[in-house]
Amino acid sequence: MSHSTILIQLAATPTDDRPYSLELAPGEQAVFGRGTPGSPVDLVLDDPAVSRRAGRIVAVGDYWLLSNLSTSKTYVVENPEGGGEFVKVPPGRMGAPIPFEFSRVTLPAVDGTVSFLVFAPQHVHVPPGHADGGAVTQVAYPLDQNAKYFRILVALCEPRLRDPSTSRIPTIPEIIERLPDLGLSRTAVGFHIGYLAEKKLHVKSPQSGEGKADWQRHALVSVALKFDLVTADHLALLPVPRR
């Protein structure tokens, strides 16, 4: 794969034991769907629920555009390496930019879903030490990864990091049990959660009457995962889960 191309890969099938791969240089495009003898597609998704011409991918630099040519079905693009990140592309949406370096495109099918993978070139980032002149930019979320509060934040995010589909947030007793080496009390965990919410992540109190501990824990997890303040790499800070 060239450093500037998009790679599309369809998993092996019972009739073809090798994955099908297709490379797109910047500006090139590929149509996916069921296809017909008179209207072939570049990537065949052989399912009766998939439109004959279901969508189009256009390679653009280090990202790509997805067009949903269906009139009734929403497609989902997931980041398999992220904390539950995904983009929904509704019917008729043209040229939706997809920001992930590694993506799984999923379409509704007769029996569940069908999907394929898209690999984009490595994204270009500002080099370390780059300065734009003027006053020093302040850190938005000044977290110390060696602090107790950060390990508590990782424990709060752990269920979502291990299973992005879950909505479960650990309770205070579960956090105490998950971090036995810290010797935390309920009061101590509550203090650290409040400190994270008010001083570190600056989460806002909801207008509803939801309980304080509940909204703070949910808001902390939401912000931490949304901005990659906690990632799967940080799970190494927790004890090995019990079997």
Side-chain angles (χ1 to χ4, degrees):
M1 176 181 175
S2 166
H3 291 301
S4 61
T5 60
I6 302 291
L7 175 65
I8 305 172
Q9 189 172 85
L10 186 63
T13 65
T15 57
D16 187 351
D17 59 1
R18 292 178 303 175
Y20 173 77
S21 296
L22 178 66
E23 287 193 30
L24 299 179
E28 293 184 336
Q29 62 180 353
V31 175
F32 59 89
R34 232 170 57 237
T36 64
S39 181
V41 294
D42 303 291
L43 189 70
V44 178
L45 303 177
D46 190 15
D47 187 278
V50 174
S51 301
R52 293 175 179 82
R53 293 175 64 84
R56 180 188 303 114
I57 288 173
V58 178
V60 183
D62 62 355
Y63 69 100
W64 49 283
L65 305 175
L66 175 63
S67 294
N68 184 346
L69 304 180
S70 165
T71 58
S72 60
K73 297 180 177 66
T74 293
Y75 303 158
V76 177
V77 184
E78 304 169 90
N79 176 8
E81 298 179 320
E85 300 170 299
F86 67 92
V87 174
K88 293 198 295 186
V89 183
R93 173 69 159 95
M94 302 298 289
I98 307 300
F100 312 135
E101 292 182 24
F102 176 33
S103 307
R104 178 185 292 113
V105 181
T106 303
L107 287 67
V110 169
D111 186 17
T113 59
V114 293
S115 63
F116 57 89
L117 302 175
V118 180
F119 301 84
Q122 186 173 6
H123 293 172
V124 178
H125 299 277
V126 176
H130 173 80
D132 55 6
V136 176
T137 303
Q138 296 184 5
V139 178
Y141 302 114
L143 296 172
D144 179 359
Q145 296 187 12
N146 296 313
K148 286 184 179 180
Y149 67 71
F150 188 79
R151 291 182 64 190
I152 290 172
L153 182 59
V154 175
L156 284 169
C157 296
E158 182 181 22
R160 288 274 301 279
L161 288 171
R162 297 193 186 279
D163 179 9
S165 66
T166 186
S167 60
R168 189 178 75 81
I169 306 293
T171 63
I172 288 180
E174 287 174 334
I175 293 172
I176 294 172
E177 183 178 358
R178 188 70 183 91
L179 300 169
D181 57 311
L182 296 186
L184 298 165
S185 65
R186 292 181 65 99
T187 301
V189 174
F191 169 81
H192 285 298
I193 288 175
Y195 179 69
L196 280 164
E198 297 170 18
K199 303 298 184 182
K200 293 297 183 179
L201 303 193
H202 314 295
V203 299
K204 303 297 184 182
S205 175
Q207 300 300 315
S208 64
E210 188 177 3
K212 179 179 180 181
D214 287 337
W215 79 257
Q216 283 188 335
R217 286 186 289 112
H218 283 76
L220 288 173
V221 170
S222 177
V223 171
L225 295 181
K226 180 184 297 182
F227 293 105
D228 286 337
L229 306 178
V230 175
T231 68
D233 292 340
H234 293 121
L235 293 175
L237 297 175
L238 304 179
V240 176
R242 295 177 182 176
R243 295 295 181 183

